[in-house]
Amino acid sequence: MSEKKAKVIYSRDYAIAAVDERIYGSFIEHLGRAVYGGIFQPGHPQADEDGFRRDTLRLVKDLRVPVIRWPGGNFVSNYFWEDGVGPPEQRPRRLELAWRSMEPNLVGIDEFARWCKKAGAEVMMAVNLGTRGVSDALNLLEYCNHPGGSKYSDLRIFHGKKEPYSIKTWCLGNEMDGGWQIGHKNAEEYGRLACQTARAMKMYDPGLELVACGSSSAGMRSFPAWEATVLEHAYDCVDYVSLHQYYGKRGEDTANFLAKTMDMEHFIKTVASTCDYVKAKQRSKKTMMLSFDEWNVWYHSNQADDDTMKNRPWQFAPALLEDHYTFEDALLVGLMLITLLKHADRVRMACLAQLVNVIAPIMTEPDGAAWAQPTYYPFLHVSNYGRGVALRPVLSCEKHDTRDYTDVSDLETVAVYDEEGEALTVFAVNRDLKEGADFTCDIRGFEGFRLLEHMEMVSEDLTARNSAKARNVMPSRAKPGELRQGLYRCRLAKASWNVIRFGKTSVSSRA
Ligand code: AHR
């Protein structure tokens, strides 16, 4: 056993909130090979009767993603949804400006909704508030959700889709604070437009859940004034404000990279405080919830993407944003998931951006198989075992400083208690890169619980990657510790992702 000690207490009394399963959402944009060659590839040996890749679908289903944001992203800000409905052979090809690609519109609303159904997910639809506005959002809503007897619902029926798609969650544009966004707006302009669009959409159905664009990252100069101004206009009309954040490792060491969840934590707290400031100012009774609808690691592909976008002719489904993730990226993804769970009281939706081929946990070979990146596994574990009530860790462990962060805890952890299944799952990352830790997990409040399994993901090589041929980074069974009188004592390996499951029954492993 190593010298270093860490201890955490978990009790039902320290509940953060019931986890909204929609925090395990994801995102598919018409970008690179996410749609074409990712989820949809007629002619591929794995293609089903609708042209969807079965191998991709299998990996997606295992992740149990409840909601998938679509069709963008930057793409949505100049998207004409009408291009993607009706007979596929009659659909136009468009110059897609956001990612400088050729868009054939072979996957539109109907195809995507069908794919989501197969994946067991709901569509989270984004509307174009870049080059379009209120009336187009309303037309799209009518096409998607109205049963029939009106212009757009009848058009859908004419296209052979009798049943409406009944889409509940809608994003009011994408990253409208960003200068790169087609139809970018200032906070006043966007706040007014978001509110007008939301009001009109709720005239049709007050039960819709609407997400206003927050900042594109905590690093935006306009953050958090953007949120304050947008919400001054839209507080009453919307239900969520979005957060987007990607982290990269640029000229820094691993310790600094793995400390970036301190920034994420600060981001979430600041957005929540800004919402509460507007709530107080407007004497509102409503508490605004957060939708962290783009989050991930993203940096490996940056240079190649620049080159493809600047120096190549318009291409159909070019390989863009294809980050090949490492083991240390998977540790940060695990840390980001822990951070989301620690804020389950305010973060009610979140989307791992993205799902297939584009900064994604799942990759596909054009003529070969689909495979899982190292980042796939922490998501798989948390999505499968992180349903229930998130419990606040009462943690004591050592801390360290990195280039940009001070007092970084060596260990990060959170637990989720599933009352129905009588199970408690502890997620933990040891971000100490040199030493393992003697870990004591106090679960004395969970009488009769025993250890079901302790999984870990470790690697001597922080830069280890997977490929279609090599699964170098995979979870495995850890050497189990001992559970005595409610105290579980084990070793957490240096630089490790851990999933420790306790329960009354011997439920078999889902993930
Ligand atoms: O997910 C990739 C891109 O990142 C999205 O299109 C955009 O919203 C964000 O900047």
Side-chain angles (χ1 to χ4, degrees), residues 171-455:
C171 300
L172 304 169
N174 175 69
E175 294 190 350
M176 298 309 301
D177 62 325
W180 59 88
Q181 205 66 222
I182 299 171
H184 155 69
K185 299 182 171 38
N186 68 33
E188 292 280 346
E189 291 164 343
Y190 173 69
R192 275 172 54 74
L193 179 59
C195 183
Q196 288 163 356
T197 310
R199 277 220 175 102
M201 290 175 79
K202 288 204 175 188
M203 285 167 111
Y204 172 70
D205 178 359
L208 296 176
E209 301 230 35
L210 305 180
V211 187
C213 295
S215 293
S216 306
S217 81
M220 295 296 287
R221 282 178 69 85
S222 52
F223 171 73
W226 170 272
E227 281 78 356
T229 307
V230 167
L231 291 177
E232 298 262 354
H233 289 285
Y235 198 88
D236 272 353
C237 337
V238 303
D239 306 284
Y240 302 85
V241 64
S242 73
L243 294 83
H244 290 183
Q245 187 67 57
Y246 297 96
Y247 293 117
K249 188 178 175 209
R250 298 185 177 89
E252 64 203 281
D253 63 10
T254 302
N256 199 63
F257 177 61
L258 295 182
K260 289 188 188 242
T261 42
M262 289 185 80
D263 178 79
M264 183 177 181
E265 180 110 34
H266 184 248
F267 189 20
I268 294 173
K269 284 184 180 161
T270 309
V271 175
S273 315
T274 308
C275 293
D276 293 347
Y277 157 75
V278 180
K279 174 183 180 181
K281 202 169 167 200
Q282 300 195 350
R283 313 287 189 263
S284 173
K285 290 203 161 48
K286 173 169 99 183
T287 299
M288 185 66 62
M289 294 297 161
L290 313 187
S291 171
F292 212 127
D293 48 43
E294 287 189 33
W295 68 270
N296 205 346
V297 172
W298 174 14
Y299 72 105
H300 296 282
S301 62
N302 289 166
Q303 266 185 345
D305 296 338
D306 278 358
D307 183 58
T308 308
M309 302 243 317
K310 277 192 204 126
N311 301 324
R312 309 279 161 84
W314 297 88
Q315 294 175 75
F316 163 66
L320 283 170
L321 281 66
E322 299 207 359
D323 273 35
H324 280 200
Y325 290 116
T326 61
F327 170 64
E328 65 188 7
D329 297 332
L331 291 180
L332 187 59
V333 164
L335 287 160
M336 292 179 89
L337 285 159
I338 289 175
T339 308
L340 291 173
L341 282 170
K342 281 167 84 175
H343 294 279
D345 53 337
R346 287 308 278 268
V347 181
R348 293 293 166 85
M349 293 194 282
C351 302
L352 172 67
Q354 299 192 11
L355 189 53
V356 183
N357 285 333
V358 169
I359 42 173
I362 299 167
M363 300 298 289
T364 66
E365 301 299 300
D367 303 313
W371 52 277
Q373 300 234 43
T375 53
Y376 182 87
Y377 298 103
F379 192 90
L380 176 80
H381 292 151
V382 180
S383 176
N384 275 282
Y385 300 123
R387 298 181 188 225
V389 175
L391 301 181
R392 194 174 305 288
V394 181
L395 175 67
S396 37
C397 69
E398 287 184 26
K399 294 185 172 171
H400 60 275
D401 293 344
T402 71
R403 189 190 71 184
D404 301 327
Y405 304 94
T406 47
D407 283 342
V408 182
S409 63
D410 289 1
L411 199 79
E412 273 294 349
T413 174
V414 73
V416 176
Y417 171 51
D418 167 12
E419 191 171 11
E420 213 180 303
E422 295 191 303
L424 173 74
T425 304
V426 175
F427 303 103
V429 172
N430 182 7
R431 55 181 157 193
D432 186 322
L433 303 172
K434 296 207 179 87
E435 265 190 77
D438 282 352
F439 181 55
T440 304
C441 187
D442 180 339
I443 57 160
R444 277 178 291 182
F446 294 90
E447 225 172 283
F449 277 43
R450 49 194 192 80
L451 178 70
L452 299 181
E453 74 180 330
H454 181 167
M455 287 179 280

Side-chain angles (χ1 to χ4, degrees), residues 28-198:
I28 293 268
E29 178 167 4
H30 285 242
L31 192 186
R33 299 193 305 123
V35 173
Y36 307 108
I39 64 169
F40 180 75
Q41 195 177 350
H44 187 277
Q46 288 282 338
D48 69 9
E49 64 290 356
D50 294 316
F52 297 124
R53 283 185 63 150
R54 286 195 179 88
D55 51 355
T56 307
L57 207 46
R58 227 172 283 131
L59 286 165
V60 171
K61 279 166 95 168
D62 285 349
L63 291 180
R64 294 179 73 206
V65 179
V67 58
I68 304 180
R69 187 163 168 256
W70 179 85
N74 297 342
F75 171 86
V76 79
S77 291
N78 191 35
Y79 181 53
F80 293 78
W81 64 267
E82 302 87 333
D83 293 346
V85 298
E89 61 286 359
Q90 288 171 22
R91 296 184 192 170
R93 287 163 70 80
R94 283 264 191 180
L95 295 181
E96 200 291 289
L97 299 170
W99 303 104
R100 209 183 148 72
S101 306
M102 192 59 80
E103 171 58 53
N105 284 301
L106 294 174
V107 170
I109 298 158
D110 178 56
E111 291 77 16
F112 190 70
R114 195 169 333 152
W115 181 78
C116 274
K117 204 164 182 196
K118 293 183 191 213
E122 283 187 12
V123 181
M124 178 184 194
M125 179 75 87
V127 302
N128 174 358
L129 291 189
T131 56
R132 307 187 94 180
V134 185
S135 67
D136 295 301
L138 290 176
N139 296 345
L140 175 59
L141 176 62
E142 183 181 317
Y143 185 91
C144 290
N145 284 13
H146 199 60
S150 68
K151 177 172 170 178
Y152 288 101
S153 58
D154 283 349
L155 182 63
R156 185 196 68 241
I157 293 167
F158 179 70
H159 291 151
K161 316 296 164 218
K162 191 167 178 313
E163 294 308 317
Y165 306 119
S166 306
I167 296 169
K168 190 173 150 210
T169 315
W170 296 72
C171 300
L172 304 169
N174 175 69
E175 294 190 350
M176 298 309 301
D177 62 325
W180 59 88
Q181 205 66 222
I182 299 171
H184 155 69
K185 299 182 171 38
N186 68 33
E188 292 280 346
E189 291 164 343
Y190 173 69
R192 275 172 54 74
L193 179 59
C195 183
Q196 288 163 356
T197 310

